[in-house]
């Protein structure tokens, strides 16, 4: 025991390991550069084009076709591939409307449409884009004065309360950023709001030239997405949505605390600023204000009034997991999992299909350079 604990062998081992890592083993950046050099932008771009030629919302035919592209690509590379379907609760918009009014002013109805741009090659396919909405928002209507709630965080509502601004029964107007949109709506509900509207503030999302002249959010651009705060399928909380499995009812799933519980809509930066021009009350703090050219943001409530209606359809629909497996020779019972989601709220060129295209290219590299080593 004494010999085994002698410090000299330990010292020699430590020196050898240090020598190897400093002088022999390549730096991590070497492997990164090597890996990136093996890929092809051309094939990745071709995958991205195929995946994003149409909008492909979860549960739609277009998203099933995107799954088919992934299957055919992996199968063509001779990797064992299978498709596993799941029945899950998804949310789609049926109807929505939003109008703005104030004393002495006629009501203005918002179009709630994202404009295409001249020469847009995808203008025709844009007709398939789902109307702007917040998935799993409660169906219902509210007509009430507007309260501006900054980023819709708990501390923002605490500040409003400290200033004597009552949110109860009002329509909370908040901007994207800082926290998840589901938390923005939930915090509005917890503060007593009857409904919530979330806008994309140009201060945060258009710091430079807007698309198509630059990469930033255009004036009518709207962020859509989920407001569900749970994990997985809402009707199978914490277990898999496999065929024939036990489920809670849709009504029960929609009534949990993980759901927003009030009607809510997303709007563009242009629409958000139009609302704020009619909001009165005390001037909001400096860090609640917008960017250059924006109106002065005030806390409210009123005199601006928003009349909001949203009707959603929460329904069980089919989605597909595409799974491909390479079994290693050593420790085949252990897993390294690579993946990303494939469905998109619209075309999905950035989120998520830049990841899908890169993942398919990884499998191509695996076939050409790694698999032959096994």
């Amino acid at each position: 025991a004494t010999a085994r604990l002698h410090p000299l062998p330990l010292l020699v081992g430590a020196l050898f390991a240090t020598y190897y890592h400093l002088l022999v083993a390549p730096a991590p950046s070497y492997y990164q550069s090597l890996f990136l050099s093996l890929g092809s932008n051309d094939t990745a771009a071709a995958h991205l084009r195929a995946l994003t030629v149409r909008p492909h919302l979860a549960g739609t035919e277009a998203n099933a076709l995107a799954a088919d592209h992934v299957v055919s690509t992996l199968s063509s590379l001779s990797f064992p591939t299978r498709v596993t379907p799941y029945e899950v609760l998804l949310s789609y918009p049926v109807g929505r409307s939003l109008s703005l009014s104030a004393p002495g002013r006629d009501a203005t109805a918002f179009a709630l449409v994202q404009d295409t741009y001249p020469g847009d090659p995808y203008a025709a396919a844009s007709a398939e884009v789902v109307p702007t909405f917040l998935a799993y928002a409660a169906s219902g209507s509210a007509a009430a004065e507007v309260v501006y709630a900054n980023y819709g965080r708990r501390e923002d509502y605490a500040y409003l309360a400290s200033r004597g601004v009552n949110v109860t029964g009002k329509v909370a107007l908040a901007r994207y950023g800082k926290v998840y949109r589901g938390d923005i709506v939930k915090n509005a509900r917890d503060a007593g709001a009857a409904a919530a509207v979330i806008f994309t503030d140009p201060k945060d999302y258009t710091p430079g030239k807007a698309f198509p002249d630059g990469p930033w959010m255009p004036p009518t651009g709207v962020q859509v997405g989920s407001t569900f705060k749970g994990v997985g399928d809402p009707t199978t909380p914490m277990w898999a949505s496999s065929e024939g499995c036990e489920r809670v009812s849709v009504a029960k799933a929609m009534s949990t605390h993980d759901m927003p519980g009030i009607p809510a809509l997303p709007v563009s930066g242009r629409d958000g600023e139009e609302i704020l021009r009619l909001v009165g009350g005390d001037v909001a703090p400096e860090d609640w204000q917008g960017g250059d050219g924006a109106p002065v943001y005030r806390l409210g409530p009123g005199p601006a009034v928003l009349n909001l209606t949203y009707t959603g359809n929460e329904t069980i629909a089919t989605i597909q997991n595409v799974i491909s497996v390479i079994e290693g020779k050593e420790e085949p019972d252990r897993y390294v999992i690579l993946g990303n989601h494939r469905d998109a709220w619209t075309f999905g060129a950035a989120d998520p299909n830049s990841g899908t295209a890169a993942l398919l290219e990884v499998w191509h590299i695996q076939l050409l350079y790694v698999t032959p080593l096994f």
Side-chain angles (χ1 to χ4, degrees), residues 162-247:
S162 74
R163 294 290 298 271
V165 178
N166 185 7
V167 183
T168 303
K170 304 297 192 292
V171 176
L173 175 67
R175 53 185 175 176
Y176 272 106
K178 308 299 183 184
V179 295
Y180 169 58
R181 73 180 72 83
D183 287 311
I184 296 174
V185 181
K186 177 182 179 296
N187 293 338
R189 177 195 68 190
D190 292 346
V197 173
I198 311 176
F199 75 102
T200 303
D201 197 332
K203 175 184 177 180
D204 296 316
Y205 291 94
T206 315
K209 290 184 178 181
F211 186 84
D213 299 319
W216 302 107
M217 182 71 79
T220 64
V222 179
Q223 293 189 52
V224 301
S226 176
T227 55
F228 176 53
K229 286 175 53 62
V231 177
D233 174 18
T235 66
T236 58
M238 305 310 296
W239 67 86
S241 301
S242 54
E243 183 178 359
C245 70
E246 180 183 358
R247 296 180 185 274

Side-chain angles (χ1 to χ4, degrees), residues 281-325:
D282 293 337
V283 175
E286 181 62 30
D287 59 349
W288 287 40
Q289 294 296 323
D292 294 340
V296 175
Y297 292 3
R298 296 178 178 271
L299 301 178
V305 171
L306 282 175
N307 189 331
L308 181 154
T309 296
Y310 174 72
T311 304
N313 175 29
E314 284 70 48
T315 184
I316 300 296
T318 303
I319 60 175
Q320 303 85 14
N321 274 357
V322 180
I323 302 170
S324 189
V325 178

Side-chain angles (χ1 to χ4, degrees), residues 150 188 267 317 326 330 341:
N150 194 23
V267 299
I326 301 173
E330 296 183 12
H341 73 94

Side-chain angles (χ1 to χ4, degrees), residues 55 116 120 122-130 347:
T116 57
D120 181 3
Y122 292 94
S126 293
E128 300 179 34
V129 172
V130 67
F347 289 92

Side-chain angles (χ1 to χ4, degrees), residues 16-222:
F16 175 80
T18 301
Y19 168 80
Y20 178 80
H21 284 291
L22 291 179
L23 301 180
V24 179
S29 59
Y30 167 81
Y31 295 109
Q32 180 183 17
S33 299
L34 176 62
F35 183 79
L36 291 176
S37 71
L38 300 178
S40 167
N41 284 340
D42 291 338
T43 55
H47 290 311
L48 186 59
R49 163 73 178 175
L51 291 163
T52 61
V53 70
R54 294 174 61 190
H56 47 289
L57 191 63
T60 63
E61 176 193 4
N63 195 47
L65 292 175
D68 289 343
H69 175 78
V70 175
V71 171
S72 63
T73 299
L74 295 176
S75 299
S76 70
L77 297 173
S78 301
F79 291 117
T81 303
R82 70 178 187 272
V83 176
T84 303
Y86 291 91
E87 304 294 317
V88 299
L89 182 68
L90 297 180
S91 179
Y92 304 100
V94 174
R96 77 263 196 276
S97 64
L98 184 69
S99 63
L100 171 67
S101 62
R105 172 190 166 113
D106 293 335
T108 299
F110 292 105
L112 303 179
V113 172
Q114 301 185 86
D115 294 337
T116 57
Y117 63 93
D120 181 3
Y122 292 94
S126 293
E128 300 179 34
V129 172
V130 67
T132 55
F133 79 118
L134 294 175
Y136 303 105
S139 296
S141 299
E145 293 179 319
V146 179
V147 170
Y148 172 51
N150 194 23
Y151 291 106
R153 300 166 294 186
R154 291 180 180 178
E155 56 263 39
D156 295 325
Y157 287 103
Y159 176 80
L160 289 171
S162 74
R163 294 290 298 271
V165 178
N166 185 7
V167 183
T168 303
K170 304 297 192 292
V171 176
L173 175 67
R175 53 185 175 176
Y176 272 106
K178 308 299 183 184
V179 295
Y180 169 58
R181 73 180 72 83
D183 287 311
I184 296 174
V185 181
K186 177 182 179 296
N187 293 338
R189 177 195 68 190
D190 292 346
V197 173
I198 311 176
F199 75 102
T200 303
D201 197 332
K203 175 184 177 180
D204 296 316
Y205 291 94
T206 315
K209 290 184 178 181
F211 186 84
D213 299 319
W216 302 107
M217 182 71 79
T220 64
V222 179

